[in-house]
Amino acid sequence: RVEALRTYLLERVPEYMVPAAYVALERLPLTLNGKVDRKALPAPGEEAFARGGYEAPEGETEETLAALWSEILGVERVGRHDHFFRLGGHSILAVRLIERMRRKGLHTEVRALFTTPTVAELAAVVGDKPRGVQVPPNLIPGPAASPAGQDPGDLELLYL
């Protein structure tokens, strides 16, 4: 039922506008002045999220990622094809996930989660070594190649 609703909405609006979870209510809880009482809305359960068939994570990296997603997203079971953002993830949780991954020895950038949002896809791009900034070699000529009449001491600032 949730998947059918999600499919219906995806045909009509962009994906970023489609909710991650759906909760059926007989009526919206209202405050005394007629506005939606957000505090009284029930939290979505696992059945509220659109999920395909469960497929268990394969390999150590996928199992680690699934466990982290379960912990961060508050979902009991995460399969290898589950989508981070369709399970209720958002940008702040993505940053938390990447930090916890680093503590477990898995390294990638936050943007990788946006382009590879399933456990299987993300496991394929993570590495076990931190990715540092690649600094190109310094191509500025040294003091020996200084222009005639220029004091080599003036070039020291270029070698930071």
Side-chain angles (χ1 to χ4, degrees), residues 53-157:
Y54 175 78
E55 189 175 330
E58 297 176 1
E60 185 178 336
T61 302
E62 285 187 19
E63 289 172 2
T64 301
L65 289 173
L68 290 171
W69 287 25
S70 177
E71 179 184 326
I72 288 171
L73 298 172
V75 177
E76 187 175 325
R77 184 173 76 165
V78 176
R80 68 186 313 255
H81 297 297
D82 285 338
H83 192 288
F84 183 79
F85 299 102
R86 291 182 192 155
L87 292 178
H90 50 74
S91 58
I92 294 184
L93 291 178
V95 172
R96 287 183 189 163
L97 173 67
I98 298 301
E99 177 56 33
R100 292 206 186 153
M101 286 171 56
R102 288 183 182 141
R103 289 184 205 156
K104 297 278 188 181
L106 301 173
H107 300 275
T108 193
E109 299 87 23
V110 173
R111 68 179 168 196
L113 185 57
F114 289 89
T115 57
T116 57
T118 68
V119 170
E121 292 171 333
L122 188 60
V125 300
V126 298
D128 58 359
K129 295 182 182 162
R131 296 180 186 178
V133 175
Q134 297 293 328
V135 179
N138 183 355
L139 300 177
I140 300 172
S146 64
Q150 188 173 12
D151 181 54
D154 292 342
L155 298 176
E156 282 185 32
L157 292 177

